[in-house]
Amino acid sequence: MDDEVIIHPSFFIIKSYHVQESQMDEKRLKLKPKTYAMLLCSVVFMIVYNYSAWHVSKLQKVPSFVFDFEKYIPFLPWTIIPYMTSVLFFCSIFFFCNTKEQLKVLTQRMLFVTIVAGICFLLFPLKFSLQKPQVSNSIFGYSFQFLTTFDSPFNQAPSLHIVYAFIFWSVFRNLKKWKIFLMIWLVAIGISTLTTYQHHLIDVVTGTILAHISFLFFPYQKNNFLYRNFQVANFYFLLAWIIVSIFLLIYKFSNEYWLILLWPALVMILTGYHYQKNNIHFLKDNNGNIPLYKTIFYYPYLFIYWIFWKFLRKNKKPLEIITNIYISSKPDKNDLQDFEINKNTFVYDLSAEIEENSEIKQKSTYYSVSFLDIGMLDLDQTKKLVTKITENYLHLPKDGKILIHCTMGYTRSSVIGILVMKNILSLPLNQAITNMKVLNKNAVIHSYIYDFLKKF
């Protein structure tokens, strides 16, 4: 359903990704629950929207929040057409849901964003401030007259047109036909909020933030490991748009140093994009090296991870889970003082976001096998890795040993350690998980990890 909206600074670039659902989820919904959901969300919207508009209209003074550069945004009368079609999408979106979970998550998101937006309208009332030019075209003129009658100049931030456009796409992206057309149309709806002079830029940004909050609060297929990357990506997208909003506020009130904040925002957006693509090599190459240009560009991301690694990592010293097989976080030189390394030491680096200790690379037999942190583990890649570790273990020299490590020492090294124990010791999966939890008190096995491990 959701969790696959890719957001770039040009407002919206959308990506679709299909994951096969279970047979139970494939059951088609009947018309009645879809109709009930549509009526419920419509009634809540009308109550919240109309009450907040009425309440704010009674206030003596309602401020506006507009940036100086917004006066250069062109007024395009024809964009009233996509703007008004948002109502059609609102009424029809529920009937495109094919499973109970799709309908449930869609309804939860729609109700959540409507109520939260209504609270924002009441607590932070704003009014659109730019004067609309006269519209000479009769068709467009009638449309704007209709809009003036039934729409409110209040209820600005967050823009529900923006929020709903994201949520609409979370359903439309599963369609086999008309998907590209609908994607373009939703982008046009987003742009039209500005070009019809209905919303200011701050409304668009806050609407985007609210949409991603709803994706995080109400994830689709929460425990399905195949959707995990999209849930993580939404966190990065949300963080990016929060940074953008901070930069806009700094620009609004100081005009100093504001451009620098676009850099980390862009880094967060691209990181979210790479998570959606499961691009495990967006930083490190096959040899575990991060090129200089990536080090420079992704510095905000790399620096944050270095801070986490420096102060929050666990299992600093290698922990033996089977004779001569160890797991740990990414070790530094001090962590390896009592762990002799030579060319008969096989090191499997699972980190995708931070480079290996140079001493380990030089002295050991080093393999870089990247997995994205707290993300999806690829089945085929994992099977090949576990098989390779097992083969190396069976042919270890007398002074040989194997070290498996990730960055922080919580999940990735524990998961591969579980599967290696299961494979080498011929253990049932549940027993291997139990053994890991006993040996590694810091192991973090999320619900989506259990779903992943069941595939083995």
Side-chain angles (χ1 to χ4, degrees):
M1 251 221 35
D2 111 288
D3 309 351
E4 300 165 18
V5 183
I6 304 173
I7 308 172
H8 287 268
S10 57
F11 290 117
F12 316 107
I13 296 177
I14 313 293
K15 168 181 173 61
S16 69
Y17 184 85
H18 297 278
V19 181
Q20 185 176 1
E21 298 178 314
S22 65
Q23 290 182 349
M24 182 174 293
D25 286 336
E26 291 281 344
K27 292 182 179 179
R28 295 288 175 177
L29 285 174
K30 295 182 179 179
L31 188 62
K32 184 180 292 185
K34 298 179 183 181
T35 305
Y36 285 162
M38 185 270 290
L39 291 174
L40 173 62
C41 291
S42 298
V43 170
V44 171
F45 168 78
M46 287 187 289
I47 293 173
V48 170
Y49 189 89
N50 289 323
Y51 174 77
S52 58
W54 172 82
H55 176 81
V56 176
S57 68
K58 299 298 181 181
L59 300 178
Q60 291 185 351
K61 185 177 181 181
V62 180
S64 298
F65 194 100
V66 58
F67 298 100
D68 294 339
F69 57 81
E70 291 189 61
K71 62 186 177 182
Y72 299 109
I73 296 176
F75 178 74
L76 304 175
W78 63 267
T79 56
I80 190 65
I81 296 176
Y83 183 86
M84 295 186 68
T85 56
S86 181
V87 177
L88 298 177
F89 286 132
F90 187 105
C91 295
S92 63
I93 191 66
F94 301 92
F95 301 96
F96 287 90
C97 292
N98 294 322
T99 68
K100 290 182 179 179
E101 184 177 6
Q102 279 184 320
L103 183 62
K104 176 184 175 182
V105 172
L106 172 64
T107 305
Q108 288 174 330
R109 290 172 176 172
M110 294 289 283
L111 292 174
F112 172 77
V113 299
T114 301
I115 293 172
V116 171
I119 294 173
C120 292
F121 298 154
L122 294 173
L123 295 180
F124 312 103
L126 293 173
K127 183 178 181 180
F128 189 80
S129 62
L130 299 180
Q131 185 67 35
K132 288 186 179 68
Q134 291 293 325
V135 180
S136 57
N137 184 289
S138 59
I139 297 177
F140 300 148
Y142 287 131
S143 298
F144 275 99
Q145 289 178 17
F146 177 86
L147 195 62
T148 302
T149 303
F150 292 97
D151 204 0
S152 169
F154 310 108
N155 295 355
Q156 291 292 297
S159 166
L160 283 173
H161 268 72
I162 297 295
V163 183
Y164 290 153
F166 278 99
I167 296 177
F168 295 157
W169 176 248
S170 71
V171 177
F172 286 148
R173 66 173 182 78
N174 292 312
L175 299 178
K176 295 181 179 180
K177 297 180 179 180
W178 299 99
K179 183 164 53 180
I180 300 300
F181 172 78
L182 289 170
M183 176 191 72
I184 296 172
W185 198 265
L186 290 175
V187 171
I189 289 177
I191 296 173
S192 72
T193 60
L194 299 174
T195 56
T196 56
Y197 283 17
Q198 287 295 121
H199 284 279
H200 290 303
L201 183 59
I202 194 66
D203 311 338
V204 174
V205 174
T206 52
T208 304
I209 290 173
L210 180 56
H212 283 87
I213 290 175
S214 75
F215 291 157
L216 291 174
F217 279 14
F218 304 101
Y220 180 64
Q221 295 280 337
K222 180 180 180 180
N223 296 327
N224 187 338
F225 76 96
L226 292 174
Y227 282 85
R228 177 62 182 179
N229 278 19
F230 302 116
Q231 296 165 13
V232 178
N234 276 320
F235 169 80
Y236 281 109
F237 292 146
L238 174 61
L239 182 59
W241 284 102
I242 290 174
I243 294 173
V244 169
S245 65
I246 293 172
F247 123 72
L248 287 173
L249 291 175
I250 293 175
Y251 169 79
K252 172 75 172 178
F253 296 109
S254 73
N255 284 329
E256 296 180 359
Y257 309 117
W258 58 274
L259 277 176
I260 192 64
L261 286 176
L262 287 179
W263 174 27
L266 180 59
V267 169
M268 294 300 105
I269 287 172
L270 291 177
T271 301
Y273 169 78
H274 290 303
Y275 261 86
Q276 289 193 324
K277 299 282 287 185
N278 196 32
N279 184 4
I280 57 177
H281 295 300
F282 82 96
L283 283 173
K284 295 168 71 172
D285 60 23
N286 290 326
N287 297 318
N289 300 316
I290 301 178
L292 179 60
Y293 75 94
K294 288 186 178 180
T295 300
I296 295 173
F297 178 78
Y298 284 99
Y299 181 78
Y301 178 80
L302 295 172
F303 179 72
I304 291 172
Y305 255 99
W306 183 85
I307 294 293
F308 287 164
W309 171 79
K310 188 69 175 177
F311 298 104
L312 300 178
R313 74 186 191 275
K314 300 295 183 181
N315 295 338
K316 296 180 181 181
K317 296 184 181 297
L319 172 69
E320 192 171 30
I321 58 172
I322 302 177
T323 304
N324 293 328
I325 295 185
Y326 301 80
I327 64 171
S328 73
S329 60
K330 189 186 91 66
D332 61 18
K333 293 181 180 180
N334 294 330
D335 300 330
L336 299 175
Q337 287 180 349
D338 301 323
F339 190 82
E340 184 179 350
I341 292 180
N342 55 45
K343 284 301 178 182
N344 290 328
T345 303
F346 296 86
V347 176
Y348 291 89
D349 174 13
L350 311 182
S351 305
E353 58 283 329
I354 193 168
E355 278 191 317
E356 182 61 277
N357 185 318
S358 59
E359 183 178 345
I360 290 180
K361 283 186 177 181
Q362 294 169 4
K363 294 183 177 181
S364 71
T365 300
Y366 171 78
Y367 298 96
S368 176
V369 190
S370 298
F371 294 95
L372 296 176
D373 191 18
I374 62 172
M376 179 184 80
L377 283 75
D378 181 82
L379 274 170
D380 292 335
Q381 183 189 12
T382 302
K383 289 177 181 178
K384 290 178 182 178
L385 174 59
V386 172
T387 300
K388 182 66 175 178
I389 293 174
T390 302
E391 291 175 353
N392 285 339
Y393 182 75
L394 295 176
H395 299 91
L396 270 181
K398 290 184 179 179
D399 63 341
K401 50 192 171 184
I402 294 174
L403 172 62
I404 306 166
H405 79 76
C406 53
T407 300
M408 301 299 294
Y410 293 105
T411 299
R412 286 169 289 184
S413 57
S414 298
V415 170
I416 300 303
I418 288 170
L419 294 175
V420 168
M421 280 197 295
K422 177 183 181 298
N423 208 27
I424 293 176
L425 302 179
S426 300
L427 296 175
L429 178 61
N430 288 336
Q431 185 60 54
I433 295 174
T434 300
N435 288 359
M436 178 57 68
K437 288 183 175 180
V438 171
L439 291 168
N440 181 12
K441 302 297 184 181
N442 298 305
V444 177
I445 312 297
H446 298 284
S447 55
Y448 77 92
I449 291 295
Y450 282 104
D451 182 58
F452 172 75
L453 290 171
K454 289 176 184 177
K455 306 301 178 183
F456 296 86

